[in-house]
Amino acid sequence: NKKDRAPQETPRETWLRIMGLGAGLVLAAFLLWSSLGTEDGVTEVLAHRGEVLAGRFIEVPCSEDYDGHRRFEGCTPRKCGRGVTDIVITREEAQRMRSIAEKGLSLGGSDGGASILDLHSGALSVGKHFVNLYRYFGDKTQNIFSEEDFQLYRDVRQKVQLTIAKSFGISVSSLYLTKPTFFSRMNSSEARTAHDEYWHAHVDKVTYGSFDYTSLLYLSDYLEDFGGGRFVFMEEGANKTVEPRAGRVSFFTSGSENLHRVEKVHWGTRYAITIAFTCNPDHSIEDPAFT
């Protein structure tokens, strides 16, 4: 019967229905993107990728973590905080540092999402394990690295060390390079061992007792070379994030005042180098040498 037939949709009603569905899909996609881009309630970007920062420093109250270790007057943190600068290391230097990492990691690499290369100890991720690249590969490393590579490494370390000393008002001679200082390569591969789970929150002074000041030099660009992988200072209700940019140096005191984590990398490859400093000369290490 005619009265039982469903009413026919007008063209205008059809258009409105399609637009409504489209808007719903766009909203759903936006919410998904937002959830991926703001892990753990990140609400403030301390350093955007597109910025070129001469220097940005935020002072925070020091934690009590340093009290459990021997104090070195004029060096052990009494002024605590975090800083970011884009003018200490050039993008060309960062590209050359990345080349060193790529050459070394070409000898191995983790089966999971995080690989490390430590030119000091020789530690290199290979599969699910670590090997000493100097012993494992022997003379082959002479064909991988050059004296220029190690000179650049020393120059970069010195520049970062001077930046930290100036920012925290301490003598550069009171700071010593400490271990582990290493290159990292992160991607979206599934974790195979606990070493691949780089995204957990931690405190450097607790994890590595020798650390007093931590720095990271980024060797690739957020949203160009990789997605995810931002550095997050964790604070109640207002996490602060640093978006990596090749040549950007992020540095901070190593105690609980700077609890932090790295977001999971969703795509691409993220390169960086962690350069750590101690006030205790007993925990110092030498720059790597080309031998």
Side-chain angles (χ1 to χ4, degrees):
N1 294 332
K2 289 182 179 180
K3 66 180 181 180
D4 295 327
R5 294 175 185 170
Q8 295 295 312
E9 217 174 36
T10 66
R12 182 174 182 275
E13 290 172 332
T14 301
W15 181 81
L16 289 173
R17 178 169 57 83
I18 292 172
M19 290 297 291
L21 288 172
L25 289 172
V26 170
L27 178 60
F30 174 77
L31 291 174
L32 176 60
W33 176 86
S34 297
S35 67
L36 292 174
T38 57
E39 295 179 15
D40 294 330
V42 174
T43 57
E44 181 179 333
V45 178
L46 178 60
H48 289 274
R49 180 202 60 171
E51 295 180 285
V52 178
L53 299 174
R56 179 169 292 165
F57 186 85
I58 297 176
E59 189 169 349
V60 298
C62 292
S63 65
E64 297 178 355
D65 295 337
Y66 310 99
D67 296 340
H69 298 265
R70 182 181 171 189
R71 297 192 70 90
F72 292 84
E73 196 59 38
C75 182
T76 298
R78 293 192 180 277
K79 172 186 177 182
C80 293
R82 58 194 68 143
V84 183
T85 178
D86 294 312
I87 64 170
V88 172
I89 307 298
T90 68
R91 288 179 68 84
E92 188 269 337
E93 288 172 322
Q95 179 57 49
R96 290 169 58 200
M97 288 289 284
R98 174 171 168 169
S99 177
I100 297 172
E102 290 174 331
K103 288 188 293 187
L105 288 165
S106 71
L107 298 172
S110 169
D111 288 342
S115 300
I116 72 159
L117 168 66
D118 183 336
L119 292 180
H120 302 267
S121 69
L124 171 69
S125 300
V126 177
K128 295 182 176 65
H129 308 284
F130 296 97
V131 301
N132 184 312
L133 78 126
Y134 300 122
R135 296 174 185 168
Y136 195 79
F137 295 100
D139 292 341
K140 187 177 180 179
T141 59
Q142 300 289 311
N143 301 321
I144 297 293
F145 303 115
S146 68
E147 176 56 47
E148 289 74 20
D149 290 336
F150 285 82
Q151 183 60 56
L152 172 66
Y153 191 99
R154 291 190 291 271
D155 291 344
V156 166
R157 188 270 303 162
Q158 289 171 351
K159 290 180 180 180
V160 172
Q161 183 172 348
L162 182 59
T163 298
I164 290 174
K166 286 184 175 180
S167 298
F168 290 98
I170 59 179
S171 169
V172 68
S173 63
S174 68
L175 282 177
Y176 302 90
L177 189 66
T178 194
K179 62 181 181 181
T181 284
F182 58 93
F183 289 102
S184 61
R185 181 182 71 190
M186 299 176 182
N187 58 39
S188 59
S189 298
E190 182 180 352
R192 300 296 183 185
T193 71
H195 296 292
D196 296 319
E197 297 180 8
Y198 55 81
W199 52 83
H200 298 299
H202 63 279
V203 174
D204 288 346
K205 189 66 178 173
V206 175
T207 306
Y208 313 107
S210 63
F211 281 33
D212 288 305
Y213 299 90
T214 306
S215 69
L216 293 111
L217 167 61
Y218 297 108
L219 308 177
S220 49
D221 292 312
Y222 172 65
L223 294 184
E224 288 189 12
D225 299 310
F226 62 92
R230 295 179 299 178
F231 186 95
V232 181
F233 290 107
M234 301 184 69
E235 296 182 0
E236 185 176 354
N239 292 347
K240 308 293 191 301
T241 186
V242 175
E243 297 179 351
R245 167 189 171 90
R248 171 167 287 170
V249 178
S250 174
F251 57 93
F252 50 93
T253 45
S254 305
S256 299
E257 67 276 2
N258 283 312
L259 173 69
H260 61 273
R261 66 186 293 271
V262 175
E263 294 176 335
K264 288 184 179 181
V265 173
H266 300 308
W267 56 267
T269 305
R270 176 191 191 271
Y271 285 91
I273 179 171
T274 298
I275 307 174
F277 296 95
T278 183
C279 297
N280 189 340
D282 294 340
H283 294 152
S284 66
I285 61 173
E286 297 296 325
D287 287 314
F290 184 71
T291 57

